[in-house]
């Protein structure tokens, strides 16, 4: 049903196999879900879909935007207390936020770049905002290795959060304490190399 | 073209919108590429596809299996030298491996669970093997928090590797030194909490 009308070159089997794999790997990096996929799953008509969204990418951008709506603002809001207390309050707020919508969080984190450039962009937006806030509040130097370190700590936070949602342990307060300890340890190790 | 024959309930717009979003989020967690997607991209017939693979999930399992073929064996091979030297050799080998096939690495890491349970499983297989090796060689205790820490360090390694492929910096030796420093720092911070 998708035969092209151009004649195809004959290729040796190994090369053919390779070609199929390459085409698929390439596609996975950028494919959006089709409207049919979504209307079938939701058991609605295509016409109905188009009354709400122009295309699946817009649906995901909207869903993700609304899911993290306010999150960045809440995470980066001015806070009272020592840096440690501020970090604890921010992380607790983040985990509360995630615990309220675990399925959406898992889908966005696990598949952010597979869904669309928009959702990948939103995850990065949260990461960047958190990194900028930490650098500013802790008066950290602006070096590529420190940026890498903070970037990786946001990945640690996401991975640990997925595991926490999945396993129900450690308890939330313990996870927050651990994440703060990891941040200090990671940054300290990098500052030792950089300076 | 995908209208169902069952009558549909009338839903208020906000609920309808929510329903579409939920169906799509749910799908993204588990959808495979279709054969048409791949044959169109590769410009081959469906018949040709089926001479090579039973389905797209099999194609990805095969591609990923062959891509990481031997990687676990190479990473966990017995090595000479101090633990630090062994870690350095292992990480250097890993980065060499990745640098030889950057597009495939990016696709597998970025989309592992979106592609199929199989490729998600393969990424976890590499992580688990590396974690077991580190625990054994460093005689680390078997606690959930330490497992979490090592798991997150493998995520740090993946994130830092993606950034390294993308930006071309720091240089490979510097990245290896940094990753070792991060591992020691993360584990030490966790052992302080656990004990």
């Amino acid at each position: 049903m998708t035969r092209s009308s151009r004649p195809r070159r004959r290729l040796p089997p190994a090369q053919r196999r390779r070609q199929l794999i390459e085409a698929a790997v390439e596609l996975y990096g950028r494919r959006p879900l089709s409207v049919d996929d979504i209307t079938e799953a939701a058991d609605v008509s295509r016409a109905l879909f188009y009354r709400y969204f122009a295309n699946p990418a817009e649906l995901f951008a909207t869903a993700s935007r609304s899911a993290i709506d306010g999150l960045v603002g809440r995470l980066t809001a001015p806070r009272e207390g020592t840096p440690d207390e501020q970090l604890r309050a921010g992380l607790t707020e983040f985990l509360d936020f995630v615990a309220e919508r675990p399925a959406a969080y898992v889908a966005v984190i696990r598949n952010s770049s597979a869904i669309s450039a928009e959702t990948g962009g939103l995850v990065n937006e949260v990461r960047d905002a958190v990194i900028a806030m930490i650098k500013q509040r802790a008066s950290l130097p602006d070096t590529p290795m420190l940026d890498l370190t903070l970037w990786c700590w946001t990945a640690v936070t996401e991975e640990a959060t997925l595991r926490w949602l999945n396993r129900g342990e450690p308890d939330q307060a313990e996870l927050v304490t651990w994440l703060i300890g990891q941040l200090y340890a990671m940054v300290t190790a990098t500052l030792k190399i950089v300076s």
Side-chain angles (χ1 to χ4, degrees), chain A residues 33-191:
Chain A
L33 275 185
S34 75
V35 172
D36 287 345
D37 293 330
I38 296 168
T39 54
E40 268 174 46
D43 191 22
V44 298
S45 68
R46 289 169 60 86
L48 186 143
F49 177 91
Y50 287 112
R51 285 215 296 279
Y52 292 87
F53 301 101
N55 53 53
E58 193 197 288
L59 178 152
F60 270 95
T62 305
S64 306
R65 173 53 72 191
S66 97
I68 68 154
D69 196 27
L71 177 62
V72 168
R74 281 157 67 186
L75 290 181
T76 58
R79 289 178 198 284
E80 302 288 310
T82 64
D84 190 275
E85 285 164 355
Q86 292 180 34
L87 201 50
R88 187 171 299 275
L91 281 165
T92 302
E93 186 145 28
F94 171 70
L95 295 176
D96 285 343
F97 175 87
V98 166
E100 281 164 24
R101 46 183 82 65
Y105 181 77
V106 170
V108 167
I109 293 293
R110 280 265 172 262
N111 306 311
S112 56
S113 63
I115 290 172
S116 73
E118 283 87 350
T119 55
L122 289 181
V123 171
N124 292 352
E125 197 180 306
V126 177
R127 286 185 171 195
D128 286 338
V130 168
I131 289 168
M133 174 191 64
I134 292 173
K135 278 167 74 174
Q136 187 238 315
R137 293 203 185 154
S139 310
L140 290 172
D142 202 21
T143 75
M145 291 311 281
L146 198 68
D147 284 350
L148 172 65
T149 308
L150 294 173
W151 180 263
C152 286
W153 179 75
T154 63
V156 165
T157 302
E158 288 164 11
E159 282 288 331
T161 299
L162 290 173
R163 200 166 163 120
W164 172 69
L165 289 175
N166 193 33
R167 305 191 174 198
E169 61 166 28
D171 69 34
Q172 186 173 327
E174 227 180 323
L175 179 58
V176 168
T177 300
W178 180 81
L179 285 169
I180 294 173
Q182 293 296 307
L183 174 62
Y184 290 160
M186 291 171 72
V187 167
T188 304
T190 296
L191 291 177

